[in-house]
Amino acid sequence: MRNIFAMQAGAIALAATFLGAPAYADSCVGNCGIAAPNGVVTAPPEYGPAYRYVSTSGGVAGAGQLPNIGGTNGSLYTSSAFTAEAGDELVFYFNFITADGTGSFPDYAWAGLNSDELLPLFTARTVAGNGDTVPGFGLPGLAPGVVLSPASTPIIPGGPVWDQLGSSSGGCFGGPGQGCGYTGWIKSTYTIPVAGEYTLLFGASNFGDAIVDTGLAFSGIVLDGVVIDPPVVPEPATWAMMIAGFGLVGAAMRRRAMAIV
């Protein structure tokens, strides 16, 4: 009996290790989530194949907006707080996807670093005739110290097919040439200038209306080579260990029950 309890305790401890540590406190307002590659959004170059996203489809009124820019509805993801030293490199990938790039209703997305105040790292927005998406048309430019790779971020035109756009997937408000499309994966690197505690924010906002949608996929929030956001999928080895542990407990308990009978 002691051995059975020991195995039970070991399996429970293993599950607790996976489920409870480290403790993350990321949060979402609106429609954020984890998605598999689909449509125009492929697996990111690193830290995939799944990725995180924010989308205005199913967004909340007032969410995902930049201060002094405005919007209608959207979504905002906030990472867990992390401590960084001056000179640390913060790296992540992003992919801007929009079905609404017209001059009248130019949706946008962005990422920002928050400590005592919000510092927009990049903004993404496109309108008809505006080839580059970053910095977003009429929005703040790149923060000093941000390096994008590739440096140019033109829209890949067309009605983008992406499940996370909901009913807007595959559509392009206004028709061809209206700024709809996606950027593909862009790597963003930022050197932290001042030591402190930070959170990283990703937002997407409709603008002018709330009926045609836009989103931002992102992956791999990495600080000096260490992934600091919650893992988007469990490691296969971890799942295998957990399943094996619970299997041993179940087998032992069955044998014990048979012996008693």
Side-chain angles (χ1 to χ4, degrees), residues 81-200:
F82 59 91
T83 300
E85 300 297 327
D88 284 354
E89 278 196 342
L90 178 67
V91 177
F92 58 87
Y93 288 86
F94 68 89
N95 189 346
F96 174 64
I97 309 100
T98 181
D100 197 354
T102 65
S104 300
F105 309 104
D107 301 346
Y108 65 93
W110 55 278
L113 197 62
N114 197 39
S115 183
D116 294 330
E117 60 183 22
L118 177 65
L119 172 67
L121 297 179
F122 79 86
T123 57
R125 179 193 244 172
T126 185
V127 295
N130 179 35
D132 223 1
T133 59
V134 179
F137 182 76
L139 299 177
L142 292 174
V146 173
V147 177
L148 300 184
S149 180
S152 179
T153 60
I155 200 78
I156 300 171
V161 174
W162 188 42
D163 291 347
Q164 283 61 47
L165 291 180
S167 61
S168 295
S169 177
C172 178
F173 184 77
Q178 293 301 308
C180 305
Y182 65 105
T183 60
W185 289 104
I186 308 293
K187 184 177 183 179
S188 172
T189 303
Y190 177 67
T191 302
I192 302 288
V194 179
E197 185 172 84
Y198 296 91
T199 55
L200 188 60

Side-chain angles (χ1 to χ4, degrees), residues 215-246:
L216 186 75
F218 55 97
S219 176
I221 304 173
V222 179
L223 184 69
D224 260 19
V226 177
V227 178
I228 59 174
D229 66 328
V232 296
V233 290
E235 293 290 339
T238 303
W239 274 120
M241 290 174 63
M242 289 179 66
I243 293 169
F246 285 119

